[in-house]
Amino acid sequence: MSDSTEQTPRQAMFPNKYVYVLALIFVAMGIVNSTPSIPGWDDMWKGLTGNDKLKVRSFSTEYFYPLVFFIMMVIVALKHSIWRAWQGTSRAWFGAFMDIALVVAAVVISLTYLIEIDSVCLIDTMTGERARIMAETLAAEIEFAETMGLPAPDTVEDPKCVATTGVWLVAIVGASILIFLGYNVKVWGLPLVLVALLVAAYTIGTVLVWYFHGPDDINKYFMTKLGGEPRTFLDGVPNVHDALVNNSSGMLGRFMYVIMNLVFPYIILGAMFGKSAGGQSLIKLAFRWTRNLRGGPAHAAIVSSAMFGTITGGPVTNVLSTGVLTIPMMIRSGFSRVFAGGVEAAASSGGSIMPPVMGVAAFILAALTATPYGDVIIAATIPAIAYFFCLFLTAMFQSRKQGIEAVGEFTEDMHITRTDILHLMQIFLPILLILVLLLTKKDAVGCGWLGWLMGAEVVINNGVCRATDLPWFLELYQNAAGDAGATGWWGAALVIVLLFLDKDFRKTPRKALDALADAGITVSTLYLMFLAVTVIDVCLNFTGLSKFVGIDVLRFLISLDLGSGDSGMLQFFALAITMLLAVLLGMGMPAVPAYINVALLMGPLLIGLGIATFTAHMFIFYFAVASAITPPVALAAFAASTITKAEPMATGFSAVRSGIVMFFIPFVFAFYPELLLIDEALIDPSSPSKEFLPGYEDGVQFVPLLWLLAKLIFALYFIASALARYDAGPLNMGWVFIRIAIAIGVLMRPEMIHFSALALGVGVLVFHRFTAARQMA
């Protein structure tokens, strides 16, 4: 019996041994490539092998990327085989065609990449043409240097490839993209592919207009130039070449770097956490902490989802992991099925904004804004706390409304055993390590008590400490400090060690391999999604659509004469439009493509209105995450409804009411960027020298920040009670609107407004408490 139960989940995850083995090989390659800088590591392997050119980590991207790309697509074809899904039906032949086509497209794109990229020029290298050209170029440069009396060079820049795919490049890339998008429909659903196809069709259509009509008297939205006169489609070949090999936006460019060097270790970390029993112990700990609160099980669901969600970063995964335990307990305590599903969906979605891990979208945010990931988690801290604080308030008001009392007593299932402590260590210690490494500045290593204790040599100039010589351990620490990829790698390594301290895990060591193979499949599947996002990215940049939309929306808002020239109203309406677009594009779509699509389209508009680049991206990121609970396609809420057996749409609206602060807090930090705590959120985007925004010349000030937090807490209390329609007693719709208006007024900038709103709010609370007490008497 036990054998069969063990075999079922493994069979579901690994449909055959080939995908299992290939995923392990891929993960092994990724682990070696992303190995952080370890003092003496490279020299040790070079000494053992006698090869001074040996690469034992950070492989050359021009060879490594096409190889792992091919392996990833083979893994996707094996794991998500359309033929296997349609086997026995009349469509099976087409499924087999798509599986084979995906692998062939991966081979062709990988080979074409090697043929076209100037640092390889595969055909020229094989024929010897590349060596001849480089030798002739070097000889000419040496001769020129001798003539001019300059030092003789010993290297030359990579020459352009002579033998390439030529005009066939367009057909190769175009056909491959169609196959990748077709497979995305099976794996990631239709919404993402529809957006990519619409943007691609728009790009092709505008090029056709340019070719057949010409650039004269054509609206900028309807024409995309490939070149000058005479007009020829061959002018588009360089653009297609760029879409393939460009390190910034190519098919094997920026997103490949992010996923293989930054995200990869955290995917392994999450997979290893999934094999730990720590999730069960987390829920037990959450119930223990919240047993004296009236919202007991609901509060426990919020706490456990916050802790578990930062590990998984996926709302649906979080719901299905913690919700199977917390939702039934909420229902047994008296909460309605709709509320139980809604609050679990809202809490699980919050895991994507909860530091320190947060999920893949946060790493993309860091990459697109060139912000260290350590700063990203600092910026996300206060908004995340505000979000879960509001969820706590919502559960409290709902428990008052339904007359639910606190559990109070210490039950047997709340007892934390020694095994539970070990399981919790498997989660908390790696997260602590990640926090310490991410938040440590490289320059600070060796200058504290640890450096003194270990004998680090430091120099102090003008009160600034700098380490000049570090022992091996501190040098290792310094190499990892502030580096998101290295931090994730060490966190994953620590989890693996801690898992084997558990005797139950040691009985089934195969779980470690299963977790690694699972991580390989996850990374491969993610990159298939990134291919669709790359199509959107390339097309938007090529057509200039993002710039056009930003400029024209800004002109439209200015034409409305909002606020008599005050940019605050312009910013508000631009932010509102961005919010609607993020939620709209996020329907049925993962947070990553939803965030990237809106960031590409609306990011320039927000930045053009004077909002710091990081703040603008953080704003968009929040609403991309919020799309998981926003009807009509609220994926996290729908997942919760499968557990509650409640109506999915009602669960979605309940999730919005519970998680409404996710729609509220981004507007707050857009107008009060000091809430994000980091300098990147205060930089004026129009300043070439990166000066701070007006009013923030001295950075984040402690006292004004405390006053802002006090107002925020006051506002969140009013919002949560208004949406629950209950405080000390029931609230009618009139009082609901008054409380929402007070919450908004409290956070408005003019002192006359927010002080008046605070005074009115205090009066409303006193009046409500007095009225509720008299009714109860």
Side-chain angles (χ1 to χ4, degrees):
M1 187 71 178
S2 62
D3 291 341
S4 63
T5 56
E6 275 292 311
Q7 188 65 26
T8 301
R10 185 177 298 138
Q11 183 65 24
M13 178 57 66
F14 311 114
N16 55 61
K17 63 182 179 181
Y18 301 109
V19 70
Y20 187 86
V21 172
L22 193 58
L24 285 176
I25 293 172
F26 167 60
V27 168
M29 294 170 62
I31 289 174
V32 174
N33 175 69
S34 60
T35 300
S37 177
I38 302 173
W41 182 257
D42 294 3
D43 293 337
M44 179 189 73
W45 287 106
K46 289 176 182 178
L48 289 174
T49 60
N51 184 357
D52 290 337
K53 296 183 179 180
L54 179 68
K55 294 280 287 185
V56 293
R57 62 183 189 85
S58 300
F59 301 136
S60 300
T61 58
E62 57 264 36
Y63 290 102
F64 183 65
Y65 284 177
L67 176 60
V68 295
F69 173 72
F70 165 68
I71 294 175
M72 285 192 286
M73 293 305 102
V74 174
I75 291 172
V76 170
L78 292 172
K79 173 65 176 70
H80 300 281
S81 171
I82 301 177
W83 170 79
R84 189 171 57 248
W86 290 351
Q87 196 172 9
T89 69
S90 59
R91 299 174 296 171
W93 68 270
F94 183 71
F97 168 77
M98 287 299 295
D99 291 346
I100 295 171
L102 179 65
V103 175
V104 171
V107 173
V108 172
I109 286 294
S110 296
L111 289 175
T112 305
Y113 178 88
L114 292 171
I115 291 170
E116 296 287 341
I117 192 167
D118 292 335
S119 57
V120 178
C121 296
L122 184 62
I123 296 177
D124 290 346
T125 300
M126 294 175 66
T127 60
E129 184 70 9
R130 180 176 176 79
R132 184 188 66 79
I133 293 173
M134 293 181 72
E136 290 179 355
T137 305
L138 181 60
E141 291 195 5
I142 291 174
E143 183 180 351
F144 176 78
E146 291 175 348
T147 302
M148 301 299 294
L150 300 173
D154 55 5
T155 59
V156 293
E157 293 184 1
D158 292 330
K160 293 288 185 182
C161 303
V162 176
T164 64
T165 55
V167 296
W168 288 102
L169 177 65
V170 178
I172 291 170
V173 173
S176 299
I177 284 174
L178 286 177
I179 293 167
F180 296 143
L181 291 179
Y183 227 90
N184 260 292
V185 175
K186 164 69 166 58
V187 178
W188 288 103
L190 188 58
L192 172 61
V193 176
L194 275 179
V195 173
L197 287 175
L198 286 173
V199 175
Y202 167 79
T203 303
I204 294 171
T206 56
V207 167
L208 291 175
V209 169
W210 166 80
Y211 181 76
F212 288 107
H213 184 279
D216 299 327
D217 302 321
I218 288 290
N219 185 283
K220 61 189 176 184
Y221 284 102
F222 298 146
M223 187 270 294
T224 300
K225 292 177 66 174
L226 289 180
E229 299 289 345
R231 299 188 295 276
T232 169
F233 282 134
L234 292 180
D235 291 334
V237 174
N239 295 301
V240 178
H241 177 273
D242 197 55
L244 176 63
V245 304
N246 190 298
N247 289 332
S248 176
S249 59
M251 293 174 67
L252 305 184
R254 173 174 54 189
F255 294 132
M256 179 67 83
Y257 169 80
V258 170
I259 203 165
M260 292 306 301
N261 294 279
L262 299 180
V263 177
F264 191 89
Y266 293 92
I267 299 290
I268 295 177
L269 181 73
M272 286 296 173
F273 277 141
K275 297 302 178 182
S276 165
Q280 301 285 343
S281 299
L282 271 179
I283 295 173
K284 184 185 291 188
L285 185 64
F287 275 102
R288 180 184 177 122
W289 284 348
T290 60
R291 70 183 186 277
N292 292 319
L293 300 175
R294 292 189 64 167
H299 287 134
I302 294 167
V303 172
S304 58
S305 294
M307 292 189 292
F308 194 76
T310 192
I311 298 167
T312 63
V316 175
T317 303
N318 203 0
V319 167
L320 298 178
S321 299
T322 61
V324 292
L325 292 175
T326 58
I327 287 176
M329 295 194 72
M330 280 190 276
I331 294 172
R332 284 198 298 270
S333 298
F335 289 104
S336 69
R337 292 180 179 272
V338 170
F339 176 80
V343 77
E344 175 60 43
S348 294
S349 298
S352 298
I353 60 172
M354 185 68 182
V357 179
M358 297 171 66
V360 177
F363 290 95
I364 302 297
L365 183 149
L368 292 184
T369 60
T371 303
Y373 188 71
D375 288 348
V376 173
I377 66 173
I378 292 173
T381 300
I382 290 180
I385 292 172
Y387 179 74
F388 284 101
F389 171 71
C390 194
L391 282 182
F392 254 75
L393 292 176
T394 300
M396 179 184 73
F397 292 132
Q398 186 69 22
S399 60
R400 289 181 185 177
K401 187 176 182 178
Q402 295 187 222
I404 298 171
E405 298 295 334
V407 175
E409 62 187 41
F410 187 86
T411 59
E412 182 61 30
D413 57 1
M414 296 178 189
H415 184 65
I416 303 296
T417 65
R418 292 181 63 183
T419 303
D420 287 322
I421 293 174
L422 178 60
H423 292 161
L424 291 172
M425 286 173 56
Q426 293 170 354
I427 290 179
F428 286 128
L429 288 182
I431 289 179
L432 180 62
L433 175 65
I434 289 171
L435 279 172
V436 170
L437 290 178
L438 282 178
L439 299 180
T440 299
K441 302 296 182 183
K442 286 186 181 294
D443 294 341
V445 176
C447 289
W449 63 268
L450 184 61
W452 174 81
L453 194 64
M454 300 190 71
E457 295 181 10
V458 299
V459 174
I460 300 177
N461 289 323
N462 298 323
V464 178
C465 174
R466 182 175 61 86
T468 57
D469 186 40
L470 294 174
W472 183 87
F473 176 77
L474 287 183
E475 189 177 347
L476 178 70
Y477 181 24
Q478 187 182 59
N479 290 342
D483 186 328
T487 296
W489 196 94
W490 287 115
L494 179 59
V495 172
I496 295 174
V497 172
L498 293 174
L499 286 176
F500 278 97
L501 296 179
D502 184 357
K503 63 179 181 180
D504 294 330
F505 191 88
R506 289 198 302 272
K507 292 178 183 178
T508 54
R510 168 83 182 258
K511 287 183 178 180
L513 293 178
D514 289 351
L516 292 174
D518 184 11
I521 291 172
T522 300
V523 172
S524 303
T525 309
L526 269 175
Y527 202 73
L528 181 69
M529 176 186 70
F530 279 126
L531 289 174
V533 175
T534 299
V535 172
I536 299 169
D537 185 10
V538 169
C539 289
L540 288 179
N541 287 331
F542 179 47
T543 60
L545 183 63
S546 304
K547 180 178 65 176
F548 300 153
V549 169
I551 292 173
D552 287 346
V553 170
L554 181 58
R555 285 176 179 169
F556 170 73
L557 292 175
I558 292 174
S559 70
L560 296 178
D561 194 23
L562 300 167
S564 300
D566 181 10
S567 64
M569 288 301 292
L570 289 178
Q571 288 182 350
F572 174 78
F573 277 94
L575 290 167
I577 293 171
T578 304
M579 174 194 73
L580 293 174
L581 190 62
V583 172
L584 180 66
L585 286 179
M587 289 181 183
M589 198 183 294
V592 174
Y595 159 65
I596 295 174
N597 293 343
V598 181
L600 292 173
L601 198 59
M602 297 299 290
L605 169 64
L606 300 183
I607 294 167
L609 282 170
I611 297 175
T613 301
F614 179 83
T615 306
H617 278 257
M618 194 72 169
F619 180 90
I620 296 167
F621 166 72
Y622 252 71
F623 285 108
V625 172
S627 65
I629 59 171
T630 309
V633 190
L635 296 179
F638 291 174
S641 69
T642 63
I643 301 173
T644 63
K645 308 303 179 186
E647 207 278 317
M649 198 61 70
T651 304
F653 284 110
S654 175
V656 171
R657 283 195 299 273
S658 296
I660 192 65
V661 73
M662 194 179 286
F663 299 84
F664 178 73
I665 198 70
F667 284 93
V668 179
F669 64 64
F671 287 103
Y672 295 96
E674 65 266 34
L675 204 64
L676 299 179
L677 300 178
I678 63 173
D679 289 345
E680 287 88 341
L682 306 177
I683 293 175
D684 186 345
S686 64
S687 171
S689 58
K690 295 187 176 182
E691 296 178 359
F692 285 170
L693 291 163
Y696 296 102
E697 290 82 2
D698 297 325
V700 178
Q701 299 297 302
F702 182 69
V703 174
L705 178 63
L706 284 182
W707 174 235
L708 174 61
L709 292 177
K711 292 193 297 179
L712 180 61
I713 292 170
F714 193 83
L716 292 179
Y717 184 94
F718 272 75
I719 288 176
S721 60
L723 292 178
R725 297 183 63 180
Y726 202 92
D727 190 346
L731 301 172
N732 60 37
M733 288 306 298
W735 285 114
V736 167
F737 286 119
I738 289 173
R739 288 189 174 224
I740 292 175
I742 289 172
I744 295 173
V746 163
L747 291 168
M748 294 187 72
R749 278 199 178 274
E751 292 184 359
M752 183 178 296
I753 294 179
H754 72 240
F755 277 121
S756 300
L758 280 170
L760 179 60
V762 172
V764 166
L765 287 179
V766 171
F767 176 77
H768 174 72
R769 294 295 174 124
F770 174 76
T771 305
R774 195 169 66 177
Q775 288 176 348
M776 291 178 64

